[in-house]
Amino acid sequence: MKVMRQVLAALTVFAVAACAGAGGGEKVAPAQAAEAPKTRQFFVVAANPLATEAGLAVLRRGGSAVDAAIAVQAMLSLVEPQSSGVGGGAFMTYFDARTGKVVIYDGRETAPAGASETMFLDDAGKALPFGQAVLSGRATGVPGVIGALGMAHREHGKLKWNSLFGDVERTAAEGFIVSPRLARMIAGNFPENSAPDVRAYFTKPDGTLMKAGDQLVNPAYAAFVKRLAKQGTAALYKGPTAERIVARTNAAPLGGSMTLADLAAYRPVKREAICGRYRVYQVCVPPPPSSGVGLLQLMAILERTDIATRGPSDPQAWFLFAEASRIMYADRDRYVGDPAFTSVPVAGMLDPAYVATRAALIGETAGPAPVAGNPAGAVVAAMDTTREPAGTSHFIVGDADGNVVSMTTTVESIFGSGRMVDGFFLNNQMTDFAMQPRDAEGRLAANAPAPGKRPRSSMTPLVLIDAEGRFAGALGSAGGNAILPYVAKSLVGAIDWNLPMQDAIALPNLIARGNAFNGEVTKFSPMLLDALQARGIRLVPGQGEDSGLHGMMWRNGRFDGGYDPRREGRAIVETAQ
């Protein structure tokens, strides 16, 4: 608790005024906080229409935000299996309307007791090729999302657990239509698409792969969720499903070490959120092993620039965004890991004086990759070698009582490890650890593998709180290590540039990390690209297509929701009857 008090004390960092800077581009007034909603409305924003509808159906029956989140996740596991599922993990940021508190339910996967720091090294001590590691039995950690949802339901559920799975059980048994995005994933060139379980699941009787418009039936998943409804979380962590998970992960190639004891011992963690001010809002995010601290640091650096006076067509705004992102990544990559295993300098990374020194690194042009700073409390660690593919899904649920769930959930890569049990894919989260655990000097990376450890995550589901302590918004994204700039870009668009949430989410993505500058090149004007190149930033196509942003804000007397046009989501608000 002493450490947490120090962290919270340091989070006054966001109250500093923006620095003066050169002009250019349109001038946009930052958003102002609005009064809290007075009508009993509820909403769901999710990456697939069937998942959105599953959540709304629960809310229409008087269910809580957590009740609806359970239904959304169960449906996503079926209709968006490339991104998340009951075989994966999640972070839930929960806003309690009665108390005004924000709490975190950490459902991140854990490494089996038999894991080791060398689990992804070959006989010569070099990291395995990622495509080989991701398909291995060692790639799967103990799933955590069901455990976290069970904990949240015990504390905030209104409807009975066994009443929340009817829609997904029926959809799995009767079948659903393969969406264009799922069809693209099935036909994509990913390592997992060569996995036997993936090929078997998505191959039609005539030997061809499923395409958009085909009907996909999953009786094994229907049977599992029926047991999950009846037995609770034990349906996954004990009994026949647990036995099949152990057998599947222990199988070749590169069988893992997971045991029934690992599954039975899994416990989600309820954590305090870390919150920092940005403009008129408090931004509340999960602490490590999430990278929420990185997002808060990024916003703190941006607040010390004049980005708020600019706009989306101003190249200087994007230059500032790129340079602030690079600085944040240098610290995030070096220092963030599981706090139960490594000392994460959260307070030091957010200290106002330290943030000022980091913001001062932004010059007139982009130079070599920034190096990690030396925040108070930092322990010397090896350079990070983590690779983090762009899987994952984010959704938001708000109930008629004003409670809100902002949840990012994942099986890691496309279709996780490519191994399936009872109709759902198993995660490959262990490859979210640093593949090379030590450097040449023998120093251990903050995110090195270890038994029982939770790998670092870029997932940063956030909640915005206004000056009166009321819910003001929620935001999050899919996208692997690019999640942080995806979310930050949308915050700048919605808050600083006062864009509707849908427009803020649709802004082009720009990911600057180290010496790499990736972005949705075709969505930036030629003039802006030329101006960035004159500042030392040459954008090349990258992960832009992999964002999965979803947001909701209360402003101007209404809920303003948005979903990522790069995916197939829906943002729907209804009034309680």
Side-chain angles (χ1 to χ4, degrees), residues 113-453:
S116 71
E117 68 176 62
T118 60
M119 62 193 292
F120 292 118
L121 300 182
D122 61 19
D123 293 340
K126 295 183 179 181
L128 294 171
F130 189 79
Q132 182 180 352
V134 77
L135 294 175
S136 72
R138 301 174 190 176
T140 299
V142 180
V145 64
I146 289 298
L149 288 172
M151 173 186 278
H153 183 263
R154 288 191 294 274
E155 298 184 358
H156 302 290
K158 290 177 65 177
L159 303 180
K160 291 183 178 180
W161 173 274
N162 63 11
S163 72
L164 305 176
F165 300 92
D167 283 348
V168 67
E169 181 187 347
R170 181 171 55 256
T171 304
E174 297 177 356
F176 65 96
I177 301 301
V178 173
S179 71
R181 178 166 167 63
L182 175 54
R184 289 196 300 274
M185 298 300 113
I186 294 170
N189 185 25
F190 308 108
E192 295 86 345
N193 284 21
S194 65
D197 292 357
V198 175
R199 302 290 296 184
Y201 182 47
F202 294 119
T203 298
K204 296 186 288 187
D206 65 2
T208 63
L209 292 175
M210 288 275 179
K211 297 180 180 179
D214 289 337
Q215 187 174 32
L216 182 57
V217 179
N218 192 335
Y221 189 65
F224 170 72
V225 294
K226 184 175 183 178
R227 286 193 294 107
L228 182 62
K230 182 178 180 180
Q231 299 174 10
T233 61
L236 186 139
Y237 294 106
K238 299 178 181 179
T241 295
E243 292 170 0
R244 284 188 280 270
I245 291 174
V246 169
R248 197 69 195 89
T249 58
N250 279 239
L254 296 177
S257 61
M258 192 180 299
T259 66
L260 289 174
D262 289 321
L263 284 158
Y266 182 83
R267 297 293 183 273
V269 180
K270 186 176 179 181
R271 302 185 188 272
E272 292 185 48
I274 52 174
C275 302
R277 184 162 297 282
Y278 187 72
R279 312 304 183 193
V280 298
Y281 299 107
Q282 285 287 116
V283 183
C284 295
V285 294
S290 160
S291 293
V293 60
L295 178 68
L296 295 184
Q297 187 192 62
L298 174 54
M299 302 313 296
I301 294 171
L302 288 173
E303 193 159 30
R304 287 179 172 268
T305 73
D306 67 344
I307 196 169
T309 69
R310 300 181 180 276
S313 65
D314 186 338
Q316 181 64 11
W318 292 102
F319 170 78
L320 294 170
F321 184 81
E323 289 297 273
S325 297
R326 297 171 80 202
I327 293 166
M328 174 276 295
Y329 273 124
D331 281 358
R332 192 289 300 253
D333 291 355
R334 180 61 66 95
Y335 296 121
V336 176
D338 185 340
F341 289 78
T342 187
S343 177
V344 185
V346 173
M349 290 172 65
L350 300 177
D351 179 80
Y354 178 73
V355 171
T357 66
R358 301 301 278 167
L361 297 176
I362 300 177
E364 295 183 1
T365 59
V371 298
N374 188 28
V379 176
V380 177
M383 185 75 71
D384 183 63
T385 57
T386 303
R387 293 184 58 179
E388 193 177 353
T392 310
S393 194
H394 181 80
F395 63 88
I396 306 167
V397 180
D399 64 31
D401 294 323
N403 307 302
V404 177
V405 165
S406 181
M407 181 166 158
T408 312
T409 173
T410 186
V411 289
E412 223 285 8
S413 293
I414 306 302
F415 306 124
S417 68
R419 302 185 184 210
M420 180 175 266
V421 167
D422 289 359
F424 59 86
F425 287 107
L426 299 175
N427 70 82
N428 65 292
Q429 294 294 357
M430 298 299 93
T431 54
D432 261 4
F433 282 121
M435 303 290 284
Q436 190 76 46
R438 294 183 183 270
D439 62 15
E441 286 75 41
R443 296 176 300 187
L444 191 67
N447 191 40
K453 190 174 182 179

Side-chain angles (χ1 to χ4, degrees), residues 507-521:
L507 286 170
N509 288 324
L510 189 159
I511 306 98
R513 185 184 185 203
N515 288 313
F517 298 96
N518 301 125
E520 294 177 292
V521 177

Side-chain angles (χ1 to χ4, degrees), residues 491-575:
L491 284 174
V492 169
I495 297 174
D496 289 341
W497 300 339
N498 206 24
L499 296 175
M501 181 57 74
Q502 187 64 51
D503 292 346
I505 288 172
L507 286 170
N509 288 324
L510 189 159
I511 306 98
R513 185 184 185 203
N515 288 313
F517 298 96
N518 301 125
E520 294 177 292
V521 177
T522 60
K523 294 186 179 182
F524 290 102
S525 71
M527 179 278 296
L528 194 148
L529 292 174
D530 289 344
L532 283 178
Q533 188 158 350
R535 291 166 169 82
I537 295 177
R538 181 178 178 273
L539 281 186
V540 297
Q543 291 181 288
E545 71 279 9
D546 291 323
S547 65
L549 286 152
H550 293 119
M552 183 67 71
M553 290 188 72
W554 174 261
R555 53 184 179 178
N556 302 320
R558 69 180 186 89
F559 283 115
D560 173 26
Y563 59 91
D564 202 316
R566 304 161 186 85
R567 297 204 176 194
E568 299 168 331
R570 294 291 185 273
I572 298 178
V573 181
E574 295 186 4
T575 300

